[in-house]
Amino acid sequence: MHELSLVADLFTIIEQQANQAGAKKVTKVVVSVGELSGVVPELFRSAFQSYKKGTIADKARLQLKMVKIKFKCRSCDQEITARNIMDESFSYVCPACGSKEMELIAGRDLYLEKLEIET
Amino acid sequence: MEQKKKELLVLEDILGSNKKIAGQIRKKLDEHGILAVNLLSAPGSGKTSLLEKIGLELKDNYRLGVIEGDIETERDADRIRKIGLPAWQITTHGACHLEARMLAKIFDQIPADLNFLFIENVGNLVCPASFDLGEGLRFVLLSVPEGDDKPKKYPEAFITSQVLVLTKCDLLPYLPFDTDRVIKEALEINPHLKVFKTSATTGEGLDELCAFLEEELKLRLSQHA
């Protein structure tokens, strides 16, 4: 349950960005959530709802965009999207060439993608 | 006055402030030649017991320190102090993980001449994995009683670690724990993991683990010299 501390950091960024842009209100917050970011969307959402009260994003809607886990093979450049890392069949081995030199290229990040503001 | 709606592209990492502080801590540790090890595991996997044993084995030849992360109490730090090592307790008062800024607050108390700084994270195999503390190495511990199905159930902890320490291996004869399965599954999600089988009770695997730590320290000192 570390979502509350993440949401606190999210609001620091929201307030900075909104102030810089001269916003009166933030009406929508779009966050990109990697499936391997360790974030539970439901918990993030409820943390957001309780944190937003009294902030510039008081009435804002939260949109979470889930990002799939993606690997790239360092040997043959094959890209693989993992359906689910908890899938029993998942393995860190390239299905095309058998190499174990796989690089995680998407799915770990958690970032604020965009805001909708009223000026 | 008419209100104007506008879209603002931000693209900013929400963990950015933690990563920034972790980067500053890492830089200081490198400058001082300190190897910091962040220990992750579920509660009761034997992090403190392992640290007591490593501490006793290394303390004659190296300067060690331990940061203890717990939700409440100084119990773990007291255990470490009992074996003659300096320990700093961070109580998170409810938070389920350590963050770089919690470390930054007590960082001035850490002597600059340490060789090893062990950071025992809050017992939790999930949340601590998301927070870089500026460590040089991350250990994930898995004890035999927890079961052999954990790596794929808690992938982030195993993917972000460099070392897997199996603990309480003296219990293997009594429990249905398939060591080969754990190692195979852990390597499937992180092929670069180094695996150690240990027991703080019998001392199994501790020499190898300490030798590995000494090698890593040497390697880092030569890189940052």
Side-chain angles (χ1 to χ4, degrees), chain A residues 53-118:
Chain A
K53 287 175 191 128
T55 72
I56 192 160
D58 204 335
K59 298 269 180 326
R61 222 155 40 79
L62 174 68
Q63 185 189 342
L64 296 181
K65 279 187 165 175
M66 299 307 290
V67 176
K68 290 248 177 257
I69 302 160
K70 217 171 176 186
F71 294 97
K72 187 176 178 182
C73 175
R74 287 202 182 109
S75 301
C76 74
D77 281 346
Q78 169 90 11
E79 284 189 11
I80 297 107
T81 304
R83 259 195 326 231
N84 182 344
I85 197 148
M86 283 180 261
D87 193 331
E88 288 300 320
S89 66
F90 176 78
S91 159
Y92 220 121
V93 175
C94 177
C97 74
S99 164
K100 287 186 174 178
E101 293 299 313
M102 303 279 283
E103 189 185 349
L104 188 64
I105 53 168
R108 273 220 67 194
D109 292 338
L110 174 71
Y111 60 91
L112 172 58
E113 192 174 303
K114 60 187 172 190
L115 296 174
E116 200 178 84
I117 57 170
E118 276 176 15

Side-chain angles (χ1 to χ4, degrees), chain B residues 20-51:
Chain B
K20 193 173 152 206
I21 300 168
Q24 290 160 353
I25 292 175
R26 182 168 286 114
K27 192 165 165 268
K28 275 193 205 162
L29 291 167
D30 285 345
E31 280 167 9
H32 298 319
I34 302 173
L35 173 54
V37 182
N38 182 3
L39 284 90
L40 262 59
S41 84
S45 295
K47 291 185 294 299
T48 317
S49 296
L50 184 75
L51 284 177

